[in-house]
Amino acid sequence: MVLRIFGLSFAVTVISLIIAALYGGPQAVLLVVILSILEISLSFDNAVINATVLRRMSEFWQKIFLTVGIVIAVFGMRLVFPLVIVWLASGLGPVAALDLALNPPADGAAYFPDGSASYETLLTDAHPQIAAFGGMFLLMLFLGFILEEREITWLSWLEKPLARAGKLDQLAVIIAGALLLITAAYIAPADTVSTVMIAGVLGMVTYIAVNGLGELFNTPGEDEDGELVEGSKGGPTELAKATGKAGFFLFLYLEVLDASFSFDGVIGAFAITSDPIIIALGLGFVGAMFVRSITVFLVRKGTLSDYVYLEHGAHWAIGALAVILLVSIGYHVNENVTGLVGVALIGAAFISSILRNRRSLEPEPVAAGERDDEPEKVTVG
């Protein structure tokens, strides 16, 4: 199973490294490897969340996500998206934006004679609105999960009170809106306040729209006794696989989610290299492919059912990433911090799941006088 799931990712990795070697020699190969590790470490929580949604989709929509979705993830978000940002931010045409991306900053003087801008600086300057959109989308996802009552809780001392508070209607919107106002007022640079507010509101609206449409077209399934089972927030239940319009909107939801996760990776990549080809090879072809393979592995192996706290840990990692994105609008946050926080939370949830499974296998203590192996007393006479 491991070879079947990860085989394509390993093949793409080998091809990508060969292309990198032909394109830029050993240094390009090293950069692709570094970017791949960066993407996988930053996106492991993305894989866990993807798996929680993917396992609720029909086989047809799972295949669409793993084929069409990977094209969107690799070419759309890791290659085309940065070019579109530069295109819009610079006022250049698409061809000029691509030429600026492929040429060193010095050669970009053809478009900016005063040397005031390059592909890297233009994309970095767009970071506030990118981080605001992605941060608010991920924050709404985190709040939607943590404010809902669940049978199983991980950090019970915190999750249970939050779930009770979540009974207040639209509490997630209230909290997210308040944090957006705080970010715009106290964190965002003065000249970006309006763009941060607009982008943040768009992130919230996008989440509400995509998630709401998914629930609208979600149809109830049947359990083992033939009873109807309604889907929960975020998609249908295990027994009610999403098909048709429900499957489409879950697919759309996953693509927007993947885009939100990719923002920090794309921006962080420029701390390593500004070459869009190297970034596309490292983040897209290698990193994104392995994230997809990890997602499929989690679904096929039933890992989320075996380690029940993983989903909780991934959502807490999403909450942390959302806060980091909002803070990064005004302050630099090292990419290592972003990756380590997510890995630490998911690792802690994984260990907690193992301990829980071990406790469930331990035999229950038998009270004195209730042992099954005691010989039965027989009365004679």
Side-chain angles (χ1 to χ4, degrees), residues 65-77 255 292:
F65 175 73
L66 297 172
T67 51
V68 178
I70 193 64
V71 174
I72 296 174
V74 172
F75 293 99
M77 290 311 303
E255 291 306 315
R292 284 296 196 278

Side-chain angles (χ1 to χ4, degrees), residues 158-242:
L158 183 57
E159 292 181 5
K160 288 184 177 180
L162 288 173
R164 287 194 294 269
K167 293 180 180 179
L168 177 63
D169 192 31
Q170 301 302 321
L171 180 60
V173 176
I174 295 172
I175 295 174
L179 287 178
L180 179 59
L181 286 173
I182 293 172
T183 301
Y186 299 104
I187 297 177
D191 59 340
T192 64
V193 171
S194 59
T195 57
V196 166
M197 284 295 299
I198 293 172
V201 170
L202 286 175
M204 295 172 60
V205 170
T206 301
Y207 174 83
I208 294 171
V210 176
N211 188 57
L213 287 170
E215 292 183 5
L216 175 65
F217 292 104
N218 174 33
T219 55
E222 295 184 354
D223 61 17
E224 295 176 354
D225 299 322
E227 299 292 332
L228 290 180
V229 179
E230 293 288 348
S232 60
K233 290 184 178 180
T237 63
E238 278 291 293
L239 297 171
K241 297 293 184 180

Side-chain angles (χ1 to χ4, degrees), residues 244-258:
K245 293 179 180 178
F248 169 74
F249 284 110
L250 276 183
F251 168 75
L252 185 61
Y253 175 84
L254 279 176
E255 291 306 315
V256 178
L257 180 63
D258 181 73

Side-chain angles (χ1 to χ4, degrees), residues 5-170:
I5 293 175
F6 287 92
L8 181 59
S9 295
F10 283 118
V12 170
T13 299
V14 172
I15 295 172
S16 299
L17 293 178
I18 293 173
I19 294 174
L22 296 174
Y23 176 74
Q27 183 179 4
V29 173
L30 178 61
L31 290 175
V32 168
V33 172
I34 294 173
L35 289 173
S36 304
I37 295 173
L38 172 69
E39 175 71 6
I40 295 170
S41 63
L42 290 175
S43 301
F44 188 79
D45 47 357
N46 185 12
V48 176
I49 297 300
N50 283 351
T52 65
V53 180
L54 190 65
R55 64 178 178 171
R56 301 167 186 164
M57 299 167 71
S58 67
E59 185 177 352
F60 170 79
W61 282 107
Q62 287 185 5
K63 289 180 179 178
I64 292 295
F65 175 73
L66 297 172
T67 51
V68 178
I70 193 64
V71 174
I72 296 174
V74 172
F75 293 99
M77 290 311 303
R78 274 75 175 183
L79 183 60
V80 177
F81 173 73
L83 290 172
V84 171
I85 293 297
V86 172
W87 170 25
L88 297 176
S90 64
L92 299 173
V95 176
L98 178 61
D99 183 48
L100 181 62
L102 294 175
N103 289 303
D107 295 337
Y111 302 104
F112 301 96
D114 59 354
S116 60
S118 66
Y119 179 80
E120 179 180 357
T121 57
L122 287 169
L123 188 58
T124 303
D125 290 343
H127 175 71
Q129 49 264 49
I130 294 173
F133 180 92
M136 295 310 297
F137 184 91
L138 294 178
L139 182 63
M140 288 293 294
L141 172 61
F142 165 72
L143 293 173
F145 178 87
I146 212 66
L147 295 177
E148 183 181 359
E149 287 191 339
R150 299 181 181 279
E151 182 179 350
I152 297 175
T153 56
W154 178 36
L155 305 176
S156 301
W157 57 275
L158 183 57
E159 292 181 5
K160 288 184 177 180
L162 288 173
R164 287 194 294 269
K167 293 180 180 179
L168 177 63
D169 192 31
Q170 301 302 321

